[in-house]
Amino acid sequence: MKEFKSKAIDIFIDEDIKRSKSIGPELIQAIRGSRIAIAFLSMNYASSSWCLNELVLIMKYRKELGLTVMTLFYDVDPTDVKKQTGDFGMAFKETCKGKTKDEIGRWRHALEEVAKIAGYHSSRWENEADMIEIVTTDISNSLNISTGSSDFSSLVGMEAHMKNLEQMLYLDLNDVRMIGIWGPPGIGKTSIARVLYSKYSDSFDLSVFMENVKGYTRPGCSDEHSLKLHLQQQFLSQILNQKDIEVRHLGVVQDRLRNMRVLVVLDDVDQPAQLEAMAKENKWFGPGSRIIVTTQDQRLLKAHGIKDMYKVDFPPPDEAFQIFCMGAFGQTSPKHGFEELAWEATYLSGIHPSGIKSMGSYFRGMSKPEWADALQRLRTSNPDSESLRTHRKLRNRFRNGKQKMMTRMLSRIRRHQIAAAAAKAASVYETSIKEEVDSSADRR
């Protein structure tokens, strides 16, 4: 079993378990806790009622729990396994003697189902070592794919975004859909698209995440047609995983992908030509395809005929506070004794998630006196800080003193008053967001 260990595959072998007429709790727990079960079907497999009972359990958990089952047919034909014929069938009949009709029926059904799973056949390899290498490599890859991603576990508010977007994707329908995700820079559009892509890309024939599309320019592109050819070449190279692909006309994407179910993310699009080059029409892609476009410009989406649009808003006060805490403390709540300081720092961070997160990272690891000193400096200096410039714009709109009242309130309250102070501060924050949005709309 060294081949498995060399690929960091933790295996459970039932050879060390004492055999009995029924499957014991130790084996049941082992199968339930496994991500992959390997059915090693040999000529003598059907000679063991233990192996047959184990197979019944494996196939049961495959149906109920989604357990992945892989098959290896060693010196036995899958047809003989499915129909219980040949030498395999003779061994099965011997095992069935004295068994109940129900038990035999469960064994037959499990053998029929497992034989339908495309697997590995020892007869196809002259060298057994080569077969083992292929099998262990495929198992390792399957484990990597099935491992739940923790890349986005620290992204506050992502669950709500996923729920809203999944209602727009209609993944159970077989039509082709384009979905636009729009909002100001630094709001989290790319992160949302990445989570969607990570969650669903494996269920499509082909998938690609084209990051920072507006950066896909080439000095040699003298006109828009040349730019489109370049963009289509880059797009096909990534989605087909083919280097140095040649694109001589703009119909290549449709020719290659019209029968493929694809998931495409075009991130940070800022020109109509980019969409026209890589996703001009729905008919370019096969049934069930989904095209996701992120951009700052809602008008660009409308001009391309994209009707399903999702606006990423500024985070509400509780989420802004959690985002800050993730940066400052590595968790969604402040450490004991830092509550007041964390609330004030959150509101000094502005309203953009990227600025809030950066501010949190700045405070990470500081002591309480260091926090107090840093906050004082941030109130009065650092004119180059983008988040503070945002904060000053908001503060200037509160000439009636509301912002000063909030700051004094946060600096004077005791620990048991934090919840009430946070609610009042949240009200101010929400008002500032509304004014910022209204101001942006007026500027448009």
Side-chain angles (χ1 to χ4, degrees):
M1 296 291 100
K2 63 180 181 179
E3 291 83 1
F4 288 91
K5 291 183 179 180
S6 67
K7 290 181 170 57
I9 300 173
D10 186 16
I11 60 173
F12 177 88
I13 305 175
D14 63 6
E15 291 178 352
D16 296 330
I17 298 177
K18 184 178 179 180
R19 296 297 198 260
S20 62
K21 291 184 179 180
S22 60
I23 299 294
E26 183 180 358
L27 183 57
I28 292 174
Q29 183 60 37
I31 296 174
R32 285 183 63 93
S34 298
R35 286 154 58 190
I36 296 176
I38 307 168
F40 191 94
L41 299 155
S42 65
M43 193 66 69
N44 297 322
Y45 190 90
S47 300
S48 169
S49 60
W50 171 276
C51 289
L52 293 170
N53 285 330
E54 185 179 19
L55 181 63
V56 170
L57 193 62
I58 287 172
M59 300 309 290
K60 176 177 182 285
Y61 289 149
R62 177 178 186 251
K63 181 179 180 180
E64 296 178 357
L65 305 178
L67 174 67
T68 298
V69 178
M70 303 176 74
T71 55
L72 198 161
F73 299 94
Y74 191 82
D75 289 339
V76 66
D77 192 293
T79 303
D80 288 338
V81 174
K82 182 179 180 180
K83 298 181 178 180
Q84 297 92 57
T85 55
D87 292 339
F88 186 91
M90 292 177 62
F92 180 74
K93 289 177 183 178
E94 284 294 318
T95 308
C96 290
K97 289 180 179 180
K99 305 300 181 184
T100 66
K101 186 177 180 180
D102 287 343
E103 190 169 17
I104 294 171
R106 288 194 295 271
W107 290 347
R108 286 189 183 279
H109 180 70
L111 289 170
E112 289 169 2
E113 290 300 309
V114 78
K116 294 177 184 178
I117 301 173
Y120 307 91
H121 303 257
S122 62
S123 59
R124 297 177 182 174
W125 275 276
E126 294 181 2
N127 189 329
E128 192 171 292
D130 292 340
M131 180 187 70
I132 294 173
E133 176 63 26
I134 292 293
V135 171
T136 54
T137 298
D138 287 350
I139 292 172
S140 178
N141 290 334
S142 295
L143 288 171
N144 292 340
I145 292 171
S146 65
T147 300
S149 173
S150 59
D151 295 349
F152 311 105
S153 59
S154 63
L155 298 180
V156 175
M158 191 57 66
E159 185 176 346
H161 289 307
M162 290 300 103
K163 184 177 180 179
N164 293 333
L165 279 164
E166 284 165 1
Q167 294 175 355
M168 300 175 69
L169 286 171
Y170 289 101
L171 292 171
D172 55 327
L173 298 183
N174 211 31
D175 59 351
V176 178
R177 288 177 178 263
M178 291 192 187
I179 296 95
I181 301 175
W182 71 282
I187 201 71
K189 303 181 297 295
T190 298
S191 296
I192 293 170
R194 280 196 182 282
V195 175
L196 274 177
Y197 182 81
S198 176
K199 188 173 183 179
Y200 294 112
S201 59
D202 290 336
S203 62
F204 289 79
D205 297 330
L206 296 171
S207 59
V208 63
F209 192 106
M210 296 284 290
E211 185 176 7
N212 189 27
V213 168
K214 67 181 181 182
Y216 281 83
T217 58
R218 190 173 67 178
C221 296
S222 56
D223 54 36
E224 187 174 285
H225 182 73
S226 298
L227 174 63
K228 289 180 179 179
L229 286 174
H230 173 66
L231 288 169
Q232 196 163 118
Q233 180 184 37
Q234 294 295 316
F235 173 70
L236 286 170
S237 177
Q238 291 193 39
I239 197 169
L240 300 176
N241 194 24
Q242 180 179 340
K243 295 181 179 180
D244 302 324
I245 193 168
E246 188 173 352
V247 175
R248 295 187 177 183
H249 61 86
L250 295 176
V252 179
V253 169
Q254 183 177 2
D255 290 344
R256 298 297 301 272
L257 302 180
R258 62 187 171 189
N259 295 318
M260 305 296 292
R261 184 172 183 265
V262 302
L263 174 62
V264 174
V265 176
L266 303 178
D267 174 56
D268 206 3
V269 173
D270 67 348
Q271 296 179 31
Q274 296 158 354
L275 290 176
E276 293 170 6
M278 296 180 283
K280 184 176 182 179
E281 300 178 83
N282 286 1
K283 67 180 182 181
W284 281 18
F285 310 99
S289 294
R290 295 294 181 266
I291 317 301
I292 299 171
V293 180
T294 75
T295 182
Q296 299 177 33
D297 190 356
Q298 184 188 23
R299 293 171 298 179
L300 189 149
L301 300 175
K302 290 181 177 180
H304 197 68
I306 298 176
K307 297 180 180 178
D308 295 319
M309 292 182 283
Y310 181 71
K311 181 184 178 182
V312 185
D313 287 318
F314 296 110
D318 58 332
E319 285 188 10
F321 186 61
Q322 291 178 49
I323 292 170
F324 176 84
C325 289
M326 282 300 302
F329 307 105
Q331 58 191 37
T332 56
S333 59
K335 292 181 179 179
H336 179 68
F338 284 82
E339 292 90 345
E340 300 174 22
L341 296 168
W343 272 110
E344 182 174 2
T346 299
Y347 293 107
L348 280 170
S349 303
I351 58 179
H352 289 80
S354 58
I356 297 170
K357 182 179 179 181
S358 297
M359 186 71 85
S361 299
Y362 171 74
F363 281 92
R364 192 160 194 160
M366 287 188 181
S367 64
K368 287 184 71 174
E370 289 172 330
W371 272 68
D373 290 342
L375 285 172
Q376 180 60 34
R377 291 195 302 272
L378 287 170
R379 294 187 201 105
T380 57
S381 61
N382 199 5
D384 294 327
S385 169
E386 180 180 353
S387 58
L388 278 176
R389 288 199 299 273
T390 302
H391 173 65
R392 288 194 183 94
K393 286 195 295 183
L394 297 176
R395 185 183 59 192
N396 290 337
R397 295 187 183 129
F398 290 91
R399 293 175 181 174
N400 58 2
K402 287 185 178 180
Q403 183 71 13
K404 293 181 180 179
M405 288 172 60
M406 182 192 73
T407 303
R408 287 198 301 270
M409 173 185 64
L410 286 171
S411 64
R412 293 175 182 175
I413 57 174
R414 298 185 180 89
R415 200 160 26 238
H416 68 275
Q417 296 174 304
I418 288 172
K424 292 181 181 179
S427 176
V428 175
Y429 180 83
E430 287 175 334
T431 303
S432 68
I433 288 179
K434 184 178 184 302
E435 292 194 3
E436 179 73 12
V437 172
D438 293 342
S439 176
S440 298
D442 292 341
R443 288 196 296 273
R444 288 201 188 103

